[in-house]
Amino acid sequence: MTKEIVGNDASRESGRYVNPDKTLPKSWRLAMAIAIGCGFVGLVLRYFAREHATDDTIRYVIPWYVFARDHGVGGLAEAFTNYTPFFSYLLLIAARFDGLGEPLSLLKMISAVFEFGCAIAVAQIVWQATKVPLRASLGFCAVWLAPTVIFNGAVWGQTDSIWTFFTLVSVALFMRDRNGVVSFALAFSVKAQAVFLGPFVLGMILRRRIHVAWLAAVPGIYVVLAIPVLVAGRSLASVFEVYLDQANTFHRLTMNAANIWVLAGATPYAIGVAAGLALAAASGLALSIFIARSKQAGPEFILLAACVSLMLMPYLLPKMHERYFYAFELASIALACLNPRYLPFAAIAQVDGVLSYLAFESGIVLGLLPAALCNTVLVFYLVLDLWRGERGFRFPRFAWLGFIVSIAGLLSNLVFKGASWNLSPVYLLTASLATVMTLLLLKESRRSSGDSPDRLS
C-alpha cells in the first residue's frame, strides 16, 4: 500500500501516467454490478406489490389523489389531506402523470423515488466514511431491498421515506462537519416524526458552536413551504394545526410500535402520555448534552449518536405507530456498513419492523412482545456503547440473541396465521438478499482489516 501511494505521488510530480492498481477497477465494477443488480430486483419487488392496498390507502390516500387530480393547483386552498402542504405538492405532481398508471401505482411511485433517495444517502454516508466502494454499494442495496422499506412503500404506500430522506441528509452533512439544520427543518416540514432526530441536532449545534438562531429555520422553512397553499387561500390556522390534529387522531399508548408501551400496556392513557412525553424529553435533553460535551469524534461516533436519537425517541414516546422506527432502521444499516460489529442491530431492526407491520397488516399481535423486548435490548446496547465509547458494552454476539428471538416471533406468526403467507415471498426474498449482502460485507471487512487504518478513515 505504501508503494502504491508513493507511486501515485511520483506520477503526479513527473506528469507521466501510471497504471492504477488493477484491484481498484475490479472493486468498482463489482460494487456497481451489485448495485445495478439489486436495483433491478428492487424494481421487480415493487412491481409485484403494486396492487396491494391497505384500508387507510383506500379510505384516505386515494381520495386525496383524486381530489388533487380533479382540482389541480386550485385545490391547495382546501385542507384535502391531513398531512403538511409538502405532501399536497407531491400529490399534484403525481396527478400530472394520471393516465400513465393506476392512482395507487402513482402514489407508490412517490415513496419509491424517496426510497431510492434514502438508499443513495446511505451509500454516500458509507462512502464518505470508508472510501470502500463495496461497502457503499452494499449500503445502497440493503436500504433499497430492506423488508421494512418494501413493506412501508411498495406494499402499504406509506410515505415515511420522504422525511427519512431529509433526516439522513442532515446526518450526512453533520458527519462532514457541515450544518445539517436546514435539512432537518425540511424533514420536520414533511412530518413531525423528524423530531426523533431533534436531540441529535441540538447536541450537534451545541457541539459545533452553531448559532442557536439556526433553530429558527425549523418553523421558518415550514412557513416558506406553506406559502403556495396560503396564497391559494388556505387559512394559516389550518396549516399550523396539522400536527396537533395528527396527535389527537388516536388515543392509544402504542399503535403497534414495538416500544416500551407494549410492556406497559395497562398504564392509563392520560398518565402514560404525560409520563412518556416527560421521559422522552428528559432523555432527549440528556442525549443532547452528552453529544455536546463528549470528547469522542469521527464519523462512526456521529452516526451512532444519530442512531441513538432515532431509536430512543420512538421507543419512549407514546402513541407511536409501527412505521416510526423507519429512520433508525435505515440509519442502522449505514452504521453496520461502517462497523460490521453493528450488523446484528440492523438485522434485529428489520425483523422487529416486520413483526410490527404484521400486527396491522394481518392483525397478528403475537410478534409485538418479542419485538419490543428486542428493541429494548437495542436501546440498552446502543446507549451503553455511545456512553462508554471504546470501553463500551462490546458483546455483539449477545445482540444475536435478540435477532433469534425476533426470527422466532416472525416464524411463529407465519405458522399460526396462514393469511400472512400472501406477502411472505417478498419478505423471504429480501431477507435472503440481505443475508447474502451481510456475508459479503463481513468478508470484505475481514479483507480490509489487514490494511492500513488510513484506508478506512
Side-chain angles (χ1 to χ4, degrees):
M1 177 176 168
T2 303
K3 292 180 180 179
E4 294 171 3
I5 295 175
V6 173
N8 289 338
D9 291 340
S11 65
R12 295 190 190 99
E13 293 175 0
S14 63
R16 292 179 293 124
Y17 176 77
V18 178
N19 288 329
D21 184 1
K22 294 182 180 180
T23 62
L24 183 59
K26 182 178 179 180
S27 65
W28 274 103
R29 287 197 299 269
L30 176 61
M32 293 181 64
I34 292 175
I36 293 172
C38 290
F40 177 76
V41 172
L43 291 176
V44 172
L45 291 175
R46 285 162 173 81
Y47 177 79
F48 285 153
R50 70 191 186 282
E51 296 181 355
H52 185 87
T54 64
D55 290 339
D56 284 350
T57 302
I58 296 173
R59 292 173 56 190
Y60 300 109
V61 185
I62 291 181
W64 296 345
Y65 169 87
V66 172
F67 185 94
R69 181 194 63 193
D70 295 344
H71 293 79
V73 177
L76 293 177
E78 302 292 332
F80 64 93
T81 78
N82 62 1
Y83 283 8
T84 61
F86 188 87
F87 185 66
S88 299
Y89 308 149
L90 294 178
L91 287 177
L92 287 173
I93 295 173
R96 298 291 294 178
F97 297 91
D98 190 68
L100 298 179
E102 295 295 327
L104 181 59
S105 298
L106 294 175
L107 288 169
K108 291 184 176 182
M109 188 62 65
I110 296 174
S111 300
V113 169
F114 283 93
E115 288 161 7
F116 186 79
C118 288
I120 293 293
V122 167
Q124 180 69 11
I125 288 173
V126 176
W127 169 252
Q128 289 296 329
T130 66
K131 302 300 182 184
V132 179
L134 183 57
R135 292 199 184 197
S137 175
L138 294 179
F140 168 85
C141 296
V143 170
W144 182 240
L145 297 175
T148 56
V149 172
I150 298 293
F151 217 141
N152 188 286
V155 178
W156 282 6
Q158 288 292 340
T159 57
D160 293 279
S161 59
I162 303 175
W163 67 270
T164 297
F165 168 73
F166 293 111
T167 297
L168 292 172
V169 171
S170 177
V171 175
L173 289 172
F174 279 119
M175 290 176 67
R176 297 174 62 184
D177 291 329
R178 297 173 63 182
N179 190 342
V181 176
V182 172
S183 183
F184 168 72
L186 285 169
F188 185 79
S189 297
V190 175
K191 292 198 76 173
Q193 284 70 46
V195 76
F196 300 156
L197 192 67
F200 167 81
V201 172
L202 177 58
M204 294 304 296
I205 288 176
L206 299 175
R207 180 185 179 92
R208 299 280 172 79
R209 290 184 169 84
I210 299 173
H211 200 286
V212 292
W214 277 98
L215 290 175
V218 177
I221 289 180
Y222 187 90
V223 172
V224 169
L225 290 176
I227 289 177
V229 300
L230 295 175
V231 172
R234 184 173 171 180
S235 68
L236 185 64
S238 69
V239 172
F240 281 99
E241 288 174 354
V242 171
Y243 290 152
L244 183 61
D245 292 340
Q246 290 179 355
N248 292 326
T249 302
F250 303 101
H251 293 83
R252 291 170 52 189
L253 291 179
T254 177
M255 298 296 296
N256 300 319
N259 61 10
I260 191 174
W261 299 106
V262 172
L263 309 176
T267 306
Y269 174 79
I271 295 176
V273 169
L277 291 174
L279 185 60
S283 300
L285 181 59
L287 177 60
S288 298
I289 295 173
F290 173 82
I291 294 173
R293 294 182 175 180
S294 177
K295 302 300 182 182
Q296 301 179 60
E300 184 179 325
F301 166 75
I302 295 174
L303 183 56
L304 177 59
C307 285
V308 171
S309 184
L310 292 171
M311 179 65 179
L312 188 62
M313 292 299 99
Y315 178 78
L316 296 177
L317 284 168
K319 306 181 67 166
M320 297 289 99
H321 288 256
E322 66 287 312
R323 301 177 279 110
Y324 291 175
F325 288 100
Y326 189 94
F328 167 74
E329 290 159 3
L330 303 197
S332 66
I333 291 174
L335 185 62
C337 290
L338 262 64
N339 187 343
R341 188 172 67 85
Y342 292 104
L343 280 172
F345 293 63
I348 293 171
Q350 285 300 313
V351 178
D352 288 353
V354 172
L355 291 172
S356 301
Y357 279 62
L358 286 174
F360 178 85
E361 173 66 27
S362 303
I364 306 170
V365 296
L366 181 64
L368 279 180
L369 181 58
L373 291 173
C374 292
N375 279 342
T376 302
V377 173
L378 288 186
V379 170
F380 179 72
Y381 199 118
L382 284 168
V383 171
L384 276 181
D385 220 29
L386 180 68
W387 177 35
R388 299 298 297 274
E390 292 302 321
R391 298 173 292 111
F393 190 67
R394 298 189 175 271
F395 296 99
R397 292 181 181 178
F398 178 65
W400 284 107
L401 176 61
F403 180 59
I404 293 172
V405 173
S406 296
I407 286 290
L410 176 58
L411 291 178
S412 64
N413 286 335
L414 296 176
V415 170
F416 293 111
K417 185 70 173 181
S420 64
W421 283 104
N422 62 340
L423 292 176
S424 63
V426 176
Y427 307 146
L428 293 177
L429 181 57
T430 52
S432 299
L433 290 170
T435 301
V436 171
M437 289 186 288
T438 298
L439 295 175
L440 285 174
L441 180 58
L442 285 172
K443 179 180 178 181
E444 187 275 336
S445 66
R446 286 197 296 268
R447 179 190 64 78
S448 62
S449 64
D451 295 339
S452 170
D454 294 340
R455 293 191 59 178
L456 299 179
S457 60

